[in-house]
Amino acid sequence: MTDPLAPSSSQPGGRLDSWKEIARYLSRDESTVQRWEKRESMPVHRHQHDKRGSVYAYPAELDTWWQGRRQQLEPQTVSSEETAPEVPSGVPSADFAPEPANRRRRWWVGIAASLVVLPATFLALTWLPRRSEPAADPSRALLRLTSTSGVNIDPALSADGSLLAYASDRGGSGDLDIWVQPTREERPSRVTSTSGDELEPSFSPDGSSIAFSRGEGAGLYIVAVAGGEPRLLVSAVSARTPRFSPDGRWVTYWTGPPVWVSIGAMTVTRSTGLFVIPASGGPSRALAPEFPHARFGTWSPDGEKILFLGVRDRDPNQSSLDWYLVGVNGGEPIRTGALEVLRTGGLKGVPIPGGWSRDGSVIFANYDEGASNVWQVPISPDTGRVAGEPARLTFGTAIERSPTVNASGHVFFTSVAENVDVWRLPLDVNTGLAKGAIERVTDNAASDRLINMSDDGGTMAFLSSRTGQDQIWVRDIDTGRERQLTSATARAGRINREGSTVAAARPVSDRPRIDLIPSQGGPGSTLCDDCSPGDWSPDGARLVVQRGTPTRLLLRDISSGREIELAAHPTWNLLQPRFSPDGRWMVFHTTNSPSLRQIYAVPVVSEEPAPVDAWIPIVRDFGVQPSWSSDGSAIYYFSSRDGALCAWRQPLDPGTKRPVGSPQAVQHFHQARLRAPFAAGAQTSNHVAAGYLYVTLAASAANIWMLDR
C-alpha cells in the first residue's frame, strides 16, 4: 500500500516542492520555516523562474541541517508561546491550528459501552486529536529526541540513562519495530525487524536486553540490545506492557482489552489480568486475581511492590476504579486513593501510571477526551496511599502519553498528533475489492468522521469538531461545498437514501433525542426522545431507532410514530443497523463481550421481533460497522482478524443472506501512519456508494520528548 503521508516523491529524491510541504516535514508553520531560511541558513532551493515563492528542499539536507541546529532552535520554541504553535513531525499543515479543549480523542487505543475493543497493536495508534507542540514547566528544559515525520512511541530508558528504546516506523516498512539510540543524540539502530508491530519496550536493569510486545496474539519477547533472534517469554493473546523488575529477576505484564475501552462496559466477565513471570522464563503467576480488571503494572523503586490501575467490583458505576498496590509475592491489594485526590484537584480522564521515580513520585498521563498531559503524584510504597498533591509537568495543549522516568528524574514521553478524516477507495465492479489508490475526501484540522452517503453518492453526512463541539455537516461530493446542519452538540446521525433529510441524535438534558433536519438547511422537527438513529428504510417512510440498555432495535413509522421491535438481546447491545438495498433485511453488529463483536442479519418482514436463534450469523470471529454492497450481494465491514482493523467483504447468498465462501480483504490498514480508528469521538465507519468505499481513517505522527532537570 502506498503511504499517502510520505513526502512527495514525484520529483527526484522525494523532494518537498513548496513551503507548505517543507513546513509539514519540519513540523512548523510556513512563517517559521521561511524565517529559518533567512536567519538560520536552512537549505532551501528555488526554481529558476520569476516566482520567488516557488521553492523546494530535500529531506536529507533538512535532516542534516536540523541535527546541527536543533539545540539552539528548540529552546527558542519552548520559551516563546507567542510564536506559532508547533507540532510533531509529519503532521499536515492544517494541524498547526490549536484544537478546541473539548475535542474528542479516538488509539490505540478507544468511550461508551457500545464501542468496540481494539488490540493494542492498532488502538495504540488510533490515537488522540492533533495538538500543538508540548509546553513544560519552565524550570525544566524540553528536548525532542526523535524528529521523523512518522510514528515514534513507547519510550524506555536504560538504567544508567544512556540509551533510549522506542517503537518506530522509521524503517520504511510501515510496521513498528524496536529501535535504540543514545539518549541525547538521534543515532538510532534497529533492534527488531519482523513483519508486524513490535512495541512497548522495557530495558533489563543491566541494559543488555529489551522485553517487548509483538502485536495482538503474538505474545511477549526478549531480545538483546544489539539485536538478534528474540526469545519468546509469554505466549498469550493480548499480552501488553512488559516491565522488568529493578533487580531484573521478574517481568510484569497484563492481558486484555486496552484501557480506552469503556471500563463501565466491562462489568460482566473478567477482561484483564495482571501477571508476573520470571525473566528467565517459566510459568506466570497472577497478581490480584480477584480483580476483574487489572492493568499497567508499575514497579516500586525497591522492586517489592507493583502499582496498577484496577477495578475490584463489577458495579456499573465502577466506583472501585483506582490505583492499587500489591506485593510481588501477592497479598491483599491496597487502594491508594489516587483517583479521589486527582478528581478533587480537577484532573479529568483516566490516569495511566508510567513510571515510579526514586523520590517516590509516580509519573502518569491523564487520558481525557480533550487533552492528555504528563503529571506526577507521590505514593508511599509503605502505606500504599497518596502522600502529596499531584503536580503537572507539561502545560501545553499537546497530547502526551506513555511517560517514563529514569534514575536521575528525567521524564520521557510521547507527543502524538492525529488527523481524522474521511477517505475513499475505488472498488472494482466485478470483485468488489479495492482497485486504486486511496484518496482524501475531507482534509481539515478538526476531526471529520463519516456518517453515511446518499444512494447516488452525491451527498455525504459527517460529524466534525470544527466549531469546538461535534456537529453534523453535509458535503456535496462533486463540488466540495459543505454545510453545517446542527447548532448544538450532535452524537450521531443518518442521512436518508435520497440525501434530503438527516436524522440527528442530540443530547437533551443528558438524554438522546432524534431531530429530523432538511439537508439543505431550515427548521427541523423532533422525531422521538430517548432514542438514537439507526437507518432509514429505502422509501424513507420508516427509521430504525436504537433504545435502552442493552440497546435494542425498533422500526418507527415517521408519520404515525408507531414502533415495532426488530431485534433484542438480554445482554448484548445491537448497533449499526443497516437496511439492505431492497429493504427486506437488516444487518447489525453486537457487543458480545469486551473483546468480541459479531455481525448478524435478520429479515424485516414480520410484526414480531426475530428470535435470537433465528439470527443469521455473517461474521463470528470479529466484525463491526457493517454496510451493504450496492446490490445487496455482500457485506462490507471492519475486522481485526489479521492484527489491525482492516476493511473486509463477505459475499452473501442472494436469497438467504447466509455467508458464501471466505471473507475477502478489501484493503489493509497496517501502516502506523494511516489506520482505522476505534475510540471515543473517532471510531471508524464505512459506507459503499457510487463505486467507492468511504471510510474514516486516522493519519498519525508521534515523537519522543524529554523533560530535563
Side-chain angles (χ1 to χ4, degrees):
M1 170 181 163
T2 302
D3 183 359
L5 305 178
S8 171
S9 58
S10 59
Q11 301 294 334
R15 195 171 68 188
L16 308 173
D17 283 320
S18 66
W19 284 118
K20 182 176 181 180
E21 288 191 16
I22 296 169
R24 181 175 66 178
Y25 186 80
L26 290 172
S27 307
R28 302 297 189 270
D29 63 359
E30 292 183 41
S31 63
T32 298
V33 296
Q34 289 171 2
R35 184 177 72 250
W36 283 354
E37 188 228 0
K38 294 178 180 178
R39 301 179 184 178
E40 305 294 340
S41 302
M42 190 177 74
V44 174
H45 308 275
R46 283 178 168 78
H47 295 286
Q48 299 302 310
H49 51 65
D50 58 359
K51 288 183 65 178
R52 176 171 173 78
S54 183
V55 300
Y56 62 95
Y58 294 102
E61 293 180 353
L62 293 177
D63 290 345
T64 301
W65 171 84
W66 175 253
Q67 291 303 320
R69 297 279 181 160
R70 61 183 296 185
Q71 297 299 325
Q72 68 187 71
L73 293 179
E74 283 182 335
Q76 297 173 12
T77 300
V78 175
S79 63
S80 178
E81 294 198 354
E82 285 74 37
T83 59
E86 302 173 3
V87 294
S89 293
V91 183
S93 59
D95 298 344
F96 295 142
E99 286 290 318
N102 65 347
R103 163 82 181 278
R104 296 179 183 272
R105 63 176 176 80
R106 66 136 245 247
W107 111 95
W108 253 343
V109 320
I111 302 207
S114 63
L115 293 185
V116 167
V117 180
L118 278 190
T121 300
F122 46 84
L123 185 54
L125 290 172
T126 32
W127 298 336
L128 309 166
R130 301 170 295 288
R131 300 280 171 173
S132 59
E133 186 174 278
D137 182 339
S139 66
R140 291 173 175 256
L142 182 63
L143 302 176
R144 188 160 84 171
L145 303 182
T146 64
S147 55
T148 75
S149 59
V151 174
N152 305 277
I153 60 172
D154 300 340
L157 277 298
S158 60
D160 63 5
S162 64
L163 293 178
L164 168 70
Y166 53 94
S168 176
D169 68 344
R170 66 194 308 156
S173 67
D175 296 331
L176 293 170
D177 300 306
I178 304 300
W179 293 72
V180 171
Q181 69 181 52
T183 302
R184 295 174 181 267
E185 186 177 358
E186 194 168 2
R187 291 188 295 104
S189 60
R190 193 174 184 173
V191 178
T192 66
S193 58
T194 57
S195 176
D197 288 336
E198 290 136 349
L199 56 156
E200 299 181 312
S202 173
F203 275 101
S204 61
D206 63 5
S208 65
S209 58
I210 295 173
F212 65 92
S213 169
R214 183 179 280 176
E216 192 70 15
L220 306 178
Y221 289 77
I222 294 179
V223 66
V225 169
E229 185 65 25
R231 168 174 63 88
L232 178 64
L233 178 66
V234 175
S235 178
V237 175
S238 303
R240 312 182 191 281
T241 322
R243 292 292 180 262
F244 275 101
S245 61
D247 62 8
R249 296 175 54 204
W250 304 94
V251 173
T252 185
Y253 67 96
W254 61 279
T255 62
V259 72
W260 299 272
V261 176
S262 172
I263 294 174
M266 300 185 291
T267 59
V268 180
T269 60
R270 178 184 179 91
S271 64
T272 68
L274 183 66
F275 300 89
V276 65
I277 186 173
S280 58
S284 298
R285 175 166 45 85
L287 299 171
E290 69 276 19
F291 278 58
H293 314 291
R295 50 193 133 190
F296 293 104
T298 303
W299 290 93
S300 62
D302 61 8
E304 296 297 320
K305 296 181 175 65
I306 298 168
L307 181 80
F308 66 93
L309 176 70
V311 177
R312 181 186 290 275
D313 305 315
R314 295 188 174 95
D315 60 292
N317 295 325
Q318 298 302 321
S319 59
S320 64
L321 174 66
D322 208 338
W323 289 353
Y324 291 83
L325 204 61
V326 65
V328 67
N329 295 316
E332 177 64 20
I334 300 171
R335 185 169 184 170
T336 66
L339 262 69
E340 180 181 357
V341 171
L342 299 178
R343 297 290 184 268
T344 301
L347 190 65
K348 298 180 180 179
V350 179
I352 307 300
W356 201 335
S357 66
R358 289 183 176 178
D359 66 4
S361 294
V362 173
I363 309 299
F364 67 95
N366 65 306
Y367 290 83
D368 190 20
E369 290 184 350
S372 173
N373 294 115
V374 179
W375 294 69
Q376 67 180 12
V377 64
I379 300 287
S380 169
D382 299 323
T383 66
R385 301 290 296 178
V386 174
E389 296 298 317
R392 189 174 180 179
L393 300 180
T394 59
F395 292 82
T397 55
I399 293 300
E400 293 114 19
R401 63 185 312 149
S402 306
T404 188
V405 60
N406 67 3
S408 301
H410 298 105
V411 175
F412 299 75
F413 61 92
T414 303
S415 182
V416 181
E418 182 185 74
N419 189 3
V420 178
D421 281 302
V422 180
W423 299 64
R424 70 178 186 177
L425 279 165
L427 299 176
D428 185 272
V429 66
N430 296 314
T431 66
L433 306 181
K435 71 170 183 179
I438 192 169
E439 60 186 51
R440 284 184 186 270
V441 178
T442 65
D443 190 359
N444 192 277
S447 172
D448 295 335
R449 289 142 288 154
L450 172 71
I451 294 178
N452 71 308
M453 309 290 299
S454 60
D455 274 358
D456 63 5
T459 305
M460 179 180 77
F462 64 102
L463 282 169
S464 180
S465 64
R466 300 175 190 187
T467 65
Q469 57 185 347
D470 283 344
Q471 305 283 2
I472 294 179
W473 292 62
V474 292
R475 177 187 177 97
D476 185 288
I477 295 299
D478 292 332
T479 67
R481 288 195 297 266
E482 297 176 344
R483 178 184 297 107
Q484 179 184 337
L485 289 189
T486 56
S487 57
T489 298
R491 290 179 176 171
R494 191 74 177 171
I495 197 168
N496 64 1
R497 302 299 179 94
E498 62 183 22
S500 62
T501 306
V502 171
R506 299 192 288 187
V508 178
S509 300
D510 292 327
R511 298 166 61 189
R513 185 184 80 186
I514 297 178
D515 291 339
L516 302 183
I517 304 173
S519 61
Q520 295 301 315
S525 60
T526 298
L527 178 68
C528 56
D529 294 311
D530 294 316
C531 56
S532 297
D535 194 25
W536 293 87
S537 61
D539 61 7
R542 299 172 296 171
L543 183 74
V544 177
V545 299
Q546 303 172 133
R547 291 187 183 273
T549 304
T551 305
R552 65 189 194 280
L553 306 179
L554 302 100
L555 187 59
R556 183 183 179 93
D557 184 272
I558 301 295
S559 298
S560 68
R562 180 173 177 264
E563 294 182 354
I564 60 173
E565 190 169 280
L566 290 176
H569 191 278
T571 60
W572 301 350
N573 291 303
L574 311 185
L575 304 172
Q576 301 298 322
R578 298 293 181 254
F579 268 109
S580 61
D582 62 9
R584 299 178 58 194
W585 295 87
M586 179 69 62
V587 68
F588 53 86
H589 83 244
T590 60
T591 60
N592 307 55
S593 74
S595 58
L596 179 62
R597 301 293 185 267
Q598 295 179 328
I599 296 176
Y600 292 88
V602 297
V604 187
V605 295
S606 172
E607 292 284 309
E608 298 295 327
V612 175
D613 58 7
W615 295 359
I616 298 170
I618 295 177
V619 180
R620 290 194 173 189
D621 57 344
F622 188 97
V624 294
Q625 300 287 335
S627 62
W628 293 87
S629 62
S630 299
D631 61 1
S633 65
I635 292 294
Y636 287 82
Y637 62 98
F638 275 82
S639 177
S640 61
R641 61 171 54 98
D642 64 352
L645 203 62
C646 301
W648 293 77
R649 179 181 184 271
Q650 177 60 63
L652 304 177
D653 180 90
T656 66
K657 302 303 178 188
R658 293 188 177 277
V660 176
S662 300
Q664 305 163 322
V666 177
Q667 181 74 22
H668 290 291
F669 297 109
H670 289 253
Q671 292 198 359
R673 302 187 192 189
L674 187 66
R675 298 202 176 190
F678 220 104
Q683 60 178 306
T684 192
S685 51
N686 68 89
H687 192 92
V688 175
Y692 286 93
L693 174 65
Y694 289 81
V695 296
T696 300
L697 297 175
S700 298
N703 277 291
I704 309 296
W705 294 73
M706 179 180 75
L707 280 173
D708 206 349
R709 283 190 179 275

